[in-house]
Amino acid sequence: MTDVPLYAQLGFTDAEWGLIAGLPQSVLTAASAATPDSARKTRAEVAVGLDRISDARASASPLVAAAASAAVGEAGDPELGEEPPVIEPADPVGYAADVLARAAEANALLAVKASPADAETYKHWLVEIADEVVGAASTGGVLGIGAESVTESERSFRDDLAKILAS
């Protein structure tokens, strides 16, 4: 008898699970890339996002816990000091649009394959990741004076993600 992977036990195919498990890291990357920052600020954003993903391994939602475990397995475990490379998309606007399209696909998939509680918890988690990342480092200003805590492009990505997942 073969062991059935957890994602299959949750009702997902391998390709569907790739979408569900990969989306948290993609949301982190798109939220961080929404506004160009210094390397230090980008690292801070990535660290906050990875912590949010890592923490979700303890979620009461089996779907979220499994997706977080899979994401940490791919990206690295911040609790072990593993630091994945910072991904900086060549076309941040195009990357964000792709992530939003994948979020819409995941939303439709969750409506069919996941329990309402798991689906809502997963969607809320994705928005939390974006929210934490965009708020992690201020942008602009001089020596922190006049800096924006969340830029318009960051706010727009987060808001668009929330709207897509709310439908």
Side-chain angles (χ1 to χ4, degrees):
M1 184 168 162
T2 35
D3 290 329
V4 177
L6 179 57
Y7 65 82
Q9 294 173 25
L10 293 170
F12 296 96
T13 67
D14 188 47
E16 292 167 340
W17 187 247
L19 172 66
I20 298 296
L23 200 50
Q25 179 68 41
S26 296
V27 165
L28 183 165
T29 300
S32 178
T35 298
D37 288 313
S38 68
R40 179 184 59 77
K41 290 179 180 180
T42 298
R43 280 193 305 277
E45 291 171 340
V46 169
V48 164
L50 288 175
D51 284 345
R52 173 60 73 186
I53 292 170
S54 176
D55 291 348
R57 293 180 292 180
S59 174
S61 164
L63 174 67
V64 171
S69 293
V72 168
E74 283 292 316
D77 189 343
E79 291 177 7
L80 301 177
E82 297 172 348
E83 289 188 36
V86 173
I87 300 167
E88 295 186 42
D91 176 12
V93 173
Y95 186 81
D98 177 65
V99 170
L100 293 172
R102 286 187 279 146
E105 185 181 342
N107 192 33
L109 180 64
L110 291 168
V112 175
K113 297 248 181 164
S115 73
D118 273 347
E120 286 305 312
T121 302
Y122 178 85
K123 293 185 292 184
H124 182 73
W125 175 50
L126 291 181
V127 175
E128 282 180 338
I129 293 167
D131 199 44
E132 294 270 336
V133 170
V134 302
S138 59
T139 301
V142 177
L143 299 174
I145 299 170
E148 292 181 272
S149 58
V150 179
T151 66
E152 184 56 39
S153 56
E154 291 170 332
R155 185 177 301 106
S156 178
F157 173 76
R158 181 197 56 212
D159 292 351
D160 289 347
L161 178 67
K163 284 178 202 165
I164 286 169
L165 295 174
S167 58

